[in-house]
Amino acid sequence: MCRRPPVPLLVLLALALTACGAPVPGRAGPSSTIVGDAIRLSTSSLVDSGFVHGGDGGEIDKLAATAITDIQAYWTQAFPRTFGAPWQELRGGFFSADTADAGGQPPPCSKSTAAIAGNAYYCPSGDLIVWDRAALIPVLTERFGAGAVMLVLAHETGHAVQQRTGVTGGGERRRPDLYPGVVIESMADCYAGSFIRWVVDGHAEHLKLQRGELDSALRALITFRDPVGTPNTDNRAHGDAFDRVSAFQDGYDQGPELCSKITAENREFTQRAFGDAEDEARGGNLPLPDLISAMSGDLAEHFTLELSNLGKQWTPPRIEAAVPDPLCTSGKQGAASYCPVANAVQTTGPVLPELHASIGDFGSGTELATRYALGVLHALERPLAGEETRRQILCLAGAYTGSLLKPQREFALSPGDLDEAVQALLAYDDPARDTEGGSIPSGFDRVSAFRTGVTGADPACGLS
């Protein structure tokens, strides 16, 4: 259905969460004031970076060294509880590379300094972690806050955990059938989530992170998604935005033990290649009028079946485009509104087209699905406002989206659609708004409610 919007500059830092990378084009340097403020906001103290090889002793390396120190402290506690053995410090240590110095000495496991610009990586043969202090750490900090740096370095340490637990060894996966590339990366994302939860809960000695800052960390994470159309069977695959956020949230919610059990046998990935040349040619995107037409019938078919299973007959809502400013409920619902009296979903002036153009067609499709879900609750004589309603409509929209992953109808998801859904849910609270205009303020929580439906289908949303 959809096409991802133009890639922002920081997407070119995509492999910051991987063991390989791509160069970052030239840009104005990050603001030292913004970076400094972000560091002070997210640390109670900075550690000396003297243990970092190749470092300059500056604030950027101190931030990285502080994150590494607390990550090591976390695994010193968590590793024995999870795996029944003591944590082993990285024997090769930690390296800071100045990629702005083209003639600088390259760090271990890299042929040149320029080759690692905008990256961090774990080198299994040397059991060491390297980061770029010129084009990675400061850019992440400026754009997303210090939480993004914590996430990056916790992910790379996650690869060291895999090395110590036998999932990988000498740079090779011990069981490629159980641990293909996308599983290796999802497990590391999950471990990163478990560490971030530890920081948010106030257990870190030096780092600080408020739960409200998780949205920014997730925005950083989803810029590191694979290019649209990458199959999850690609040996270098890391997952789409939905896969990566899902792994991070699983680690955040359930801890490292769950992460350690991720395999290709028990985890399903939503990333996929294009299924036909026509869809690929249009980037998976439908024009908004075509999307509305297709979704109208498909939403009706999906929820008519679900309500029929509950013994309920209904009249599906119609979707009406470009109503200037619906005033059918007491609160403003945003880019589209469900109007109970008219039993209609009405789009709002230019707002939905703007969302469609800026994010992609399933960004707007997610908004339409949540408004349609209000129509489902209305048919069941459920409340149309309140905290439970807000979570339920996101869940139902997720359940509908999940049905499109293995379609039995004509309508189906294109590669990148779930990326757009996650982007929309992180950027806007419109999809969670009830008929009184109340919403869920946290993007992290909006995505979580949506994921419940995608992975658990309609029964998980409490319809029965």
Side-chain angles (χ1 to χ4, degrees):
M1 279 178 284
C2 66
R3 177 178 58 83
R4 191 168 58 178
V7 180
L9 175 64
L10 194 60
V11 173
L12 297 174
L13 298 178
L15 299 197
L17 294 188
T18 76
C20 53
V24 179
R27 57 161 299 219
S31 163
S32 59
T33 299
I34 294 175
V35 170
D37 288 346
I39 291 174
R40 284 185 284 277
L41 180 67
S42 298
T43 58
S44 56
S45 58
L46 289 171
V47 304
D48 188 286
S49 60
F51 68 89
V52 176
H53 302 285
D56 64 357
E59 196 171 36
I60 294 300
D61 276 342
K62 286 181 180 178
L63 171 62
T66 300
I68 286 294
T69 298
D70 278 352
I71 291 167
Q72 299 298 304
Y74 169 73
W75 282 112
T76 297
Q77 300 174 24
F79 197 89
R81 291 198 305 266
T82 307
F83 302 106
W87 171 248
Q88 300 171 6
E89 297 284 342
L90 276 66
R91 68 176 186 276
F94 306 93
F95 291 77
S96 170
D98 180 7
T99 58
D101 181 4
Q105 179 71 23
C109 310
S110 181
K111 294 181 179 179
S112 70
T113 301
I116 67 161
N119 283 281
Y121 61 83
Y122 169 71
C123 175
S125 61
D127 193 33
L128 56 90
I129 289 174
V130 177
W131 60 81
D132 171 14
R133 72 169 177 270
L136 174 67
I137 304 299
V139 174
L140 285 174
T141 306
E142 180 186 56
R143 297 287 183 86
F144 303 107
V149 176
M150 301 176 202
L151 192 156
V152 166
L153 296 177
H155 174 105
E156 299 308 336
T157 306
H159 290 311
V161 174
Q162 293 165 339
Q163 180 89 339
R164 283 150 176 72
T165 55
V167 171
T168 59
E172 299 294 329
R173 291 182 290 279
R174 299 290 175 86
R175 289 283 306 274
D177 56 329
L178 290 180
Y179 303 107
V182 70
V183 167
I184 293 293
E185 299 305 328
S186 292
M187 188 183 290
D189 285 340
C190 187
Y191 285 140
S194 71
F195 168 73
I196 294 294
R197 175 61 179 268
W198 186 74
V199 177
V200 170
D201 286 349
H203 300 306
E205 181 179 356
H206 306 286
L207 299 174
K208 299 184 297 182
L209 198 65
Q210 302 299 315
R211 196 175 189 281
E213 297 175 85
L214 291 176
D215 288 7
S216 187
L218 289 187
R219 290 188 191 103
L221 181 60
I222 67 172
T223 65
F224 309 145
R225 62 191 182 271
D226 286 334
V228 171
T230 303
N232 60 42
T233 54
D234 188 310
N235 196 44
R236 297 167 296 177
H238 291 68
D240 59 18
F242 186 84
D243 292 335
R244 302 207 73 166
V245 168
S246 294
F248 178 89
Q249 288 192 329
D250 283 346
Y252 185 92
D253 291 335
Q254 301 186 57
E257 185 173 357
L258 178 141
C259 307
S260 71
K261 293 180 169 61
I262 294 176
T263 71
E265 292 181 342
N266 61 29
R267 196 165 189 90
E268 185 173 356
F269 295 93
T270 62
Q271 179 167 301
R272 60 195 58 205
F274 283 102
D276 62 71
E278 181 181 353
D279 192 31
E280 185 172 6
R282 65 171 184 259
N285 239 347
L286 289 174
L288 183 57
D290 294 346
L291 177 76
I292 290 174
S293 176
M295 286 192 70
S296 295
D298 198 67
L299 281 161
E301 186 174 348
H302 172 79
F303 284 113
T304 296
L305 176 61
E306 294 302 321
L307 289 174
S308 176
N309 290 337
L310 297 174
K312 182 71 176 180
Q313 301 299 312
W314 78 322
T315 300
R318 63 186 182 278
I319 300 180
E320 301 174 346
V323 175
D325 188 16
L327 296 175
C328 56
T329 58
S330 59
K332 290 191 174 183
Q333 297 177 43
S337 299
Y338 173 68
C339 301
V341 174
N343 191 33
V345 174
Q346 298 178 340
T347 65
T348 307
V351 181
L352 194 68
E354 289 170 359
L355 174 61
H356 190 90
S358 64
I359 290 183
D361 69 352
F362 210 66
S364 49
T366 301
E367 172 74 10
L368 292 172
T370 63
R371 301 308 91 193
Y372 209 90
L374 281 168
V376 174
L377 296 183
H378 183 58
L380 291 171
E381 300 179 346
R382 302 285 183 86
L384 299 184
E387 183 176 348
E388 180 60 26
T389 296
R390 298 163 202 158
R391 294 188 178 279
Q392 210 163 24
I393 60 176
L394 289 172
C395 184
L396 289 171
Y400 166 71
T401 302
S403 77
L404 299 174
L405 290 169
K406 297 178 179 178
Q408 299 182 9
R409 307 180 299 276
E410 292 185 5
F411 200 52
L413 291 181
S414 295
D417 281 341
L418 275 169
D419 287 6
E420 294 168 354
V422 170
Q423 284 179 277
L425 291 167
L426 285 175
Y428 303 101
D429 73 348
D430 292 17
R433 290 192 192 181
D434 59 28
T435 55
E436 294 180 358
S439 189
I440 297 173
S442 163
F444 184 95
D445 291 335
R446 293 193 294 269
V447 172
S448 181
F450 180 82
R451 282 186 56 226
T452 298
V454 172
T455 57
D458 294 273
C461 305
L463 282 190
S464 59

